[in-house]
């Protein structure tokens, strides 16, 4: 039986920024994604990682890891991998511990596969160790786990929600502009703008996660009051 310890149960929320060279910005793909971790000159520029203790509702730390800080994409990836390995180690000495959780918007089809592919290409660690760290983690992709809080005309149809839909429902605001602007900022050396954008997005992701639970509690509270009213 899994045991969850308040001081050790962790979600690492992550948000990555990518770079796509000009010659590939018009390429077509089934999903519409321009970035691919296996195409030449495409890069993971870096990202922001927020460690959250959900049972204590406490942010343990926020870390930005960027190519320009470490001199190369490979070194930035190495630091990201080391961060996740440290977070794993911090929970492994407890019996029947739960797995490290990775959270974010769209991470299951974008961030996590990209990190695994790029780290494998650069030989950051052996493929099986990389797989254990990235895919051994439990993924909390907010675009997928939130769908039951949206109403729809088809009772059993589910499809991952967009970032724009999540921002509108839970934060009552528009989502940030497309990440495509990051490509120009990177080419112009506007690194601070990229870091600021990414940090703002990770804080919004945490706010959405919390808002999902707040909405659930409110809904459950309304149902309890309705049942008492019906009995009365």
């Amino acid at each position: 039986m899994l045991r969850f310890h308040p001081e050790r149960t962790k979600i690492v929320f992550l948000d990555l920024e990518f770079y796509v060279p000009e010659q590939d910005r018009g390429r077509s793909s089934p999903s519409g994604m321009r970035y691919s971790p296996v195409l030449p000159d495409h890069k993971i520029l870096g990202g922001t990682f927020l460690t959250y203790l959900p049972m204590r509702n406490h942010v343990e730390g926020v870390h930005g890891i960027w190519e320009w800080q470490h001199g190369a994409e490979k070194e930035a990836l190495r630091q990201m991998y080391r961060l996740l390995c440290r977070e794993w180690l911090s929970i492994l000495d407890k019996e029947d511990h739960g797995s490290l959780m990775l959270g974010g918007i769209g991470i299951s089809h974008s961030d996590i596969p990209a990190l695994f592919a790029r780290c494998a290409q650069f030989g950051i660690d052996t493929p099986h160790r990389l797989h254990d760290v990235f895919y051994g983690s439990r993924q909390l992709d907010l675009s997928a786990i939130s769908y039951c809080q949206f109403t729809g005309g088809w009772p059993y149809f589910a499809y991952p929600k967009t970032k724009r839909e999540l921002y509108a429902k839970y934060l009552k605001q528009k989502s940030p502009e497309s990440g495509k602007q990051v490509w120009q900022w990177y080419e112009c050396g506007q690194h601070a703008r990229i870091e600021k954008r990414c940090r703002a997005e990770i804080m919004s992701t945490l706010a959405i996660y919390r808002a999902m639970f707040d909405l659930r509690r409110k809904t459950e509270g309304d149902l309890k009051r309705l049942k008492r009213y019906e009995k009365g």
Side-chain angles (χ1 to χ4, degrees):
M1 180 179 178
L2 291 179
R3 299 177 182 178
F4 297 98
H5 306 272
E7 74 283 1
R8 293 176 181 262
T9 299
K10 296 183 178 183
I11 305 172
V12 178
F13 288 98
L14 64 146
D15 185 75
L16 302 182
E17 297 291 354
F18 305 99
Y19 175 72
V20 177
E22 187 173 1
Q23 67 270 18
D24 290 338
R25 292 173 191 172
R27 82 179 189 94
S28 61
S29 69
S31 67
M33 293 178 63
R34 300 292 185 263
Y35 171 79
S36 171
V38 299
L39 288 178
D41 301 324
H42 290 219
K43 290 183 178 183
I44 295 178
L45 298 178
T48 304
F49 295 77
L50 183 152
T51 301
Y52 178 64
L53 306 180
M55 299 177 75
R56 294 175 54 194
N57 189 24
H58 173 69
V59 174
E60 190 172 63
V62 184
H63 303 280
I65 301 175
W66 300 96
E67 176 198 64
W68 42 88
Q69 294 173 346
H70 298 282
E73 180 189 10
K74 179 178 180 179
E75 293 308 311
L77 290 169
R78 193 188 308 278
Q79 294 304 316
M80 294 178 197
Y81 181 63
R82 286 176 176 171
L83 184 152
L84 295 182
C85 287
R86 288 195 301 271
E87 297 293 8
W88 264 111
L89 287 173
S90 70
I91 64 175
L92 289 179
D93 62 346
K94 290 289 187 179
E95 185 180 358
D96 298 326
H97 60 84
S99 296
L100 180 68
M101 293 175 280
L102 301 181
I105 299 174
I107 61 168
S108 61
H109 77 277
S110 177
D111 302 64
I112 302 304
L115 279 174
F116 174 76
R118 293 301 277 178
C119 285
Q121 289 172 31
F122 281 118
I124 301 299
D125 204 341
T126 61
H128 79 270
R129 281 287 300 141
L130 292 170
H131 190 274
D132 287 345
V133 170
F134 289 123
Y135 289 109
S137 304
R138 298 296 187 262
Q139 296 181 22
L140 301 178
D141 191 329
L142 304 192
S143 65
I145 64 176
S146 61
Y147 67 81
C148 280
Q149 292 193 337
F150 286 76
T151 58
W154 301 91
Y156 302 111
F157 175 73
Y159 192 81
K161 298 303 176 181
T162 65
K163 182 180 291 187
R164 187 173 299 277
E165 289 173 310
L166 295 179
Y167 272 63
K169 182 176 182 67
Y170 297 108
L171 303 181
K172 309 303 180 186
Q173 66 186 56
K174 294 181 179 179
S175 63
E177 295 299 321
S178 168
K180 295 178 181 178
Q181 63 188 339
V182 169
W183 308 337
Q184 282 75 36
W185 292 349
Y186 177 68
E187 291 170 345
C188 296
Q190 298 179 354
H191 300 156
R193 293 186 73 177
I194 299 173
E195 293 182 34
K196 181 179 179 181
R197 177 187 190 277
C198 194
R199 186 181 179 92
E201 286 208 338
I202 207 70
M203 299 310 297
S204 293
T205 299
L206 176 61
I208 289 170
Y209 174 84
R210 287 168 165 164
M212 288 169 54
F213 285 88
D214 293 339
L215 178 59
R216 187 190 72 181
R217 283 193 293 271
K218 180 181 183 303
T219 301
E220 290 175 348
D222 290 344
L223 288 173
K224 288 179 181 179
R225 285 191 292 273
L226 179 60
K227 287 179 181 180
R228 288 197 298 266
Y229 174 78
E230 290 176 340
K231 288 180 180 179

